[in-house]
Amino acid sequence: PSEEMITLMWSFVVSIYSIGGLLGSLSAAYFSVRFGRKKPMLFTNIPALLSATLMGLSRLCGSFEMIIAGRLLSGLCGGKVAFLPMVLNSLVLNIHLMYAGECAPRKLRGLIALTASTATAVGKFVGFALGLREVLGVDALWPILMAANSLPALVQLLTLPFFPDSPRYLLIDKKDKEGCIKAVKQLWGDGDHMAEIDDMMAEQEVIRGEKAKSICDLFRDKAVRWQLITLFLVCSCMQLIGVN
């Protein structure tokens, strides 16, 4: 192919990840309410493993289309084309933050939520390190590097089934108080956690009968306007620090 066509092909390889990420982010709200927090995180390991297989075998099959398809699936489900301690971005990133925050006791909630950013930073560093010519960034080994996102997907697929679903989801969305109490005891031990459960029950009463807000509803709601502006500015600034 011509030099212009090669440039176009690699542009697709690089940018298609963001398209998958957009689709994954837009579907996170539906999946997290319809299936809970735990099941979508488990299901997304399947396309993550599929993306690793496609990219890992692309050279053997002589197909750059397999890399594009693998990157699209990787962006959709959140598997990085680098080693990550957790499978994080797009669909899984959104649901993971909800799951981690809702499973953590109140005094540790902020700290637990920050682990997502920490894991992302560590994953990017490890990815850059593995991509060095002295490691996997050579002609014979780059398919292994492209398939490295299968490792965190496998870890999560094997370990997550032993964890309960989010107590808040079980109580507020599923109306399963017994399941909520059981999940709380499994996560936090056998102490007295009725204060946290009472808070969730109070929240359940407050939002009873209310519909989930759409993106347009958020922009029209004055109660969350400053929070929305603040998050928008922070996320916009993240795009200017060179992380992409």
Side-chain angles (χ1 to χ4, degrees):
S2 65
E3 186 175 345
E4 289 80 7
M5 181 57 66
I6 291 174
T7 301
L8 179 63
M9 290 189 304
W10 283 113
S11 299
F12 269 108
V13 168
V14 173
S15 60
I16 201 72
Y17 182 89
S18 299
I19 303 299
L22 175 64
L23 296 175
S25 297
L26 290 175
S27 60
Y30 170 78
F31 283 112
S32 64
V33 174
R34 180 72 174 80
F35 301 106
R37 319 306 191 226
K38 179 180 169 182
K39 287 181 181 177
M41 292 174 66
L42 280 172
F43 292 154
T44 50
N45 290 305
I46 297 173
L49 292 171
L50 179 58
S51 74
T53 303
L54 286 171
M55 292 187 289
L57 296 177
S58 59
R59 179 176 180 175
L60 184 65
C61 298
S63 171
F64 71 89
E65 293 90 350
M66 291 173 67
I67 302 179
I68 294 176
R71 288 274 293 173
L72 177 66
L73 288 171
S74 187
L76 177 67
C77 66
K80 289 283 188 184
V81 190
F83 182 81
L84 264 173
M86 297 179 190
V87 183
L88 285 174
N89 269 348
S90 51
L91 177 60
V92 174
L93 176 59
N94 287 277
I95 298 176
H96 164 81
L97 287 170
M98 283 190 283
Y99 182 73
E102 292 172 3
C103 287
R106 187 190 305 172
K107 60 182 180 181
L108 296 176
R109 196 164 294 157
L111 177 66
I112 296 300
L114 280 174
T115 59
S117 300
T118 306
T120 301
V122 173
K124 288 180 182 293
F125 171 76
V126 174
F128 283 127
L130 291 177
L132 294 173
R133 289 191 180 92
E134 292 79 7
V135 191
L136 296 177
V138 292
D139 191 47
L141 298 177
W142 66 260
I144 299 175
L145 178 65
M146 297 286 279
N149 62 321
S150 61
L151 295 178
L154 280 172
V155 170
Q156 189 180 70
L157 192 62
L158 293 174
T159 58
L160 191 58
F162 297 99
F163 288 80
D165 213 325
S166 157
R168 182 188 178 280
Y169 166 76
L170 292 171
L171 181 64
I172 294 180
D173 294 317
K174 297 285 288 184
K175 310 295 190 295
D176 183 3
K177 185 176 179 180
E178 294 298 321
C180 171
I181 294 174
K182 183 179 178 181
V184 164
K185 288 183 177 180
Q186 184 178 346
L187 289 166
W188 304 344
D190 293 325
D192 183 13
H193 306 297
M194 285 309 300
E196 285 86 352
I197 295 174
D198 289 341
D199 282 345
M200 287 186 275
M201 294 182 68
E203 181 182 354
Q204 183 185 36
E205 290 297 323
V206 169
I207 66 175
R208 189 184 299 276
E210 285 195 20
K211 294 182 180 180
K213 292 184 181 297
S214 66
I215 295 176
C216 292
D217 291 333
L218 282 177
F219 280 104
R220 287 194 291 261
D221 190 347
K222 293 182 179 180
V224 297
R225 183 159 298 167
W226 279 109
Q227 294 93 317
L228 194 65
I229 292 172
T230 303
L231 287 171
F232 179 80
L233 289 174
V234 171
C235 293
S236 299
C237 291
M238 285 178 62
Q239 307 306 313
L240 303 176
I241 64 173
V243 65
N244 289 333

